Amino acid sequence: MKTLAHALEIHGLSDAGMVRGHNEDAIAYDPDAGLAILADGMGGYNAGEVASGIATTLLAQGIKAAIEVVPPHATESMSGKPAAHRILRLEVEKANLAIFQTAQSQPQCAGMGTTLVSALFYDNRLTTAHVGDSRLYRMREGNFLALTRDHSLLQEQLDSGLITAEEARRSQNKNLVTRAVGIDPQLDPELNDFDVKVGDIYLLCSDGLNDMVDDPDIALVLTTLAGNLPLAAEQLVQMANDNGGRDNVSVILVRINRSFAAERGLWARLFGWLAG
């Protein structure tokens, strides 16, 4: 596997916040593999951190093992989509079943689950898989955009016109997710593809950030501190805590420093030339 560390800079930070006694978020990232994963656990006692820990650990191990065997940019003959889709879906489903079975077999973990947002970078593109209300944002040339759409009751109310965006910001129902990892034996994660450009900054975050800090303020940090990701991550967490820190807050920042187009063999290059 060709390392992507020359093209990607990744930095993450997770904090318990100002109110919670322990941290139920979990993060994992690997610049070599072009991988970032964030999970926000839920459940009684400390079960939420068990769920998020299982999700990030299994997903990171599974994805890295899979892309050693099949390049994520390889086109699947059946679906016509990049192999990244099948890999992410399969590994999320495995993590989901592992969490569900643990919750079923261990009474202290009953009912646990986790949100999940994962990003796999390859061939100057990104495939994301997400479940729940942890988010992925992109800062590109001054434009800050959410690339994921929450699986939540609040988002459904917004989509149906039952509430306004201002009412949503003040809502007390922000944490009611409609989809989570580990709650049911089967799960349908949402997958999407995006092109990547040099200079982009991507932000994965738990709702402990975006519930506490408005998007324009997040965007200002990413613009001002674009050249210092560790400081940017610290500033985002500090802002969430300064605004109340009512939940755990976790962030992963990914900056695209150079192109990382996949290397292709002679026949693939020839076919691409003929097809073009």
Side-chain angles (χ1 to χ4, degrees):
M1 180 184 70
K2 181 182 178 182
T3 177
L4 297 184
H6 70 291
L8 309 178
E9 181 181 349
I10 307 181
H11 186 80
L13 186 61
S14 186
D15 187 80
M18 304 302 291
V19 176
R20 301 292 178 89
H22 57 279
N23 192 351
E24 294 187 326
D25 290 358
I27 61 175
Y29 53 92
D30 186 338
D32 289 331
L35 181 62
I37 306 165
L38 184 148
D40 178 356
M42 62 193 80
Y45 302 101
N46 295 334
E49 63 192 66
V50 174
S52 62
I54 292 174
T56 53
T57 300
L58 290 186
L59 208 57
Q61 291 175 347
I63 292 172
K64 285 190 282 188
I67 63 178
E68 288 278 5
V69 178
V70 179
H73 68 272
T75 302
E76 302 270 86
S77 58
M78 294 292 289
S79 66
K81 295 180 179 180
H85 274 247
R86 177 181 54 80
I87 291 169
L88 281 173
R89 183 177 298 279
L90 180 60
E91 297 306 326
V92 171
E93 289 173 350
K94 287 180 181 178
N96 177 73
L97 188 57
I99 295 169
F100 178 80
Q101 290 175 338
T102 302
Q104 295 294 305
S105 62
Q106 300 185 23
Q108 71 272 24
C109 293
M112 73 175 179
T114 184
T115 69
L116 177 71
V117 58
S118 59
L120 180 60
F121 295 85
Y122 61 96
D123 195 24
N124 288 335
R125 72 176 99 173
L126 154 69
T127 296
T128 180
H130 86 282
V131 180
D133 60 358
S134 290
R135 295 181 179 178
L136 173 68
Y137 290 92
R138 181 185 68 205
M139 172 63 79
R140 173 178 289 173
E141 298 173 351
N143 295 314
F144 188 60
L145 178 68
L147 299 183
T148 55
R149 196 168 188 81
D150 293 349
H151 302 136
S152 68
L153 178 62
L154 198 64
Q155 188 64 58
E156 290 183 356
Q157 291 174 328
L158 275 167
D159 291 344
S160 62
L162 293 175
I163 61 173
T164 65
E166 181 59 33
E167 289 171 335
R169 280 192 289 272
R170 300 194 306 267
S171 174
Q172 300 301 309
N173 298 323
K174 289 184 177 181
N175 304 119
L176 299 178
V177 297
T178 55
R179 210 181 300 187
V181 182
I183 301 299
D184 295 305
Q186 296 179 330
L187 176 69
D188 183 24
E190 183 174 341
L191 278 76
N192 289 288
D193 296 315
F194 303 94
D195 290 331
V196 167
K197 291 185 177 181
V198 174
D200 286 353
I201 296 179
Y202 295 85
L203 165 67
L204 293 79
C205 68
S206 60
D207 63 350
L209 177 67
N210 54 268
D211 280 353
M212 294 287 99
V213 184
D214 291 338
D215 284 4
D217 293 329
I218 296 174
L220 180 60
V221 171
L222 298 186
T223 301
T224 305
L225 298 175
N228 191 334
L229 293 192
L231 185 57
E234 291 176 9
Q235 181 64 27
L236 290 173
V237 170
Q238 186 63 51
M239 288 169 66
N241 286 336
D242 288 346
N243 290 344
R246 292 191 298 269
D247 199 354
N248 309 143
V249 54
S250 298
V251 301
I252 302 176
L253 294 171
V254 184
R255 186 175 61 222
I256 312 302
N257 289 330
R258 63 182 64 179
S259 172
F260 50 100
E263 293 181 354
R264 290 170 168 81
L266 174 61
W267 286 111
R269 292 198 299 269
L270 179 61
F271 179 81
W273 177 74
L274 291 172

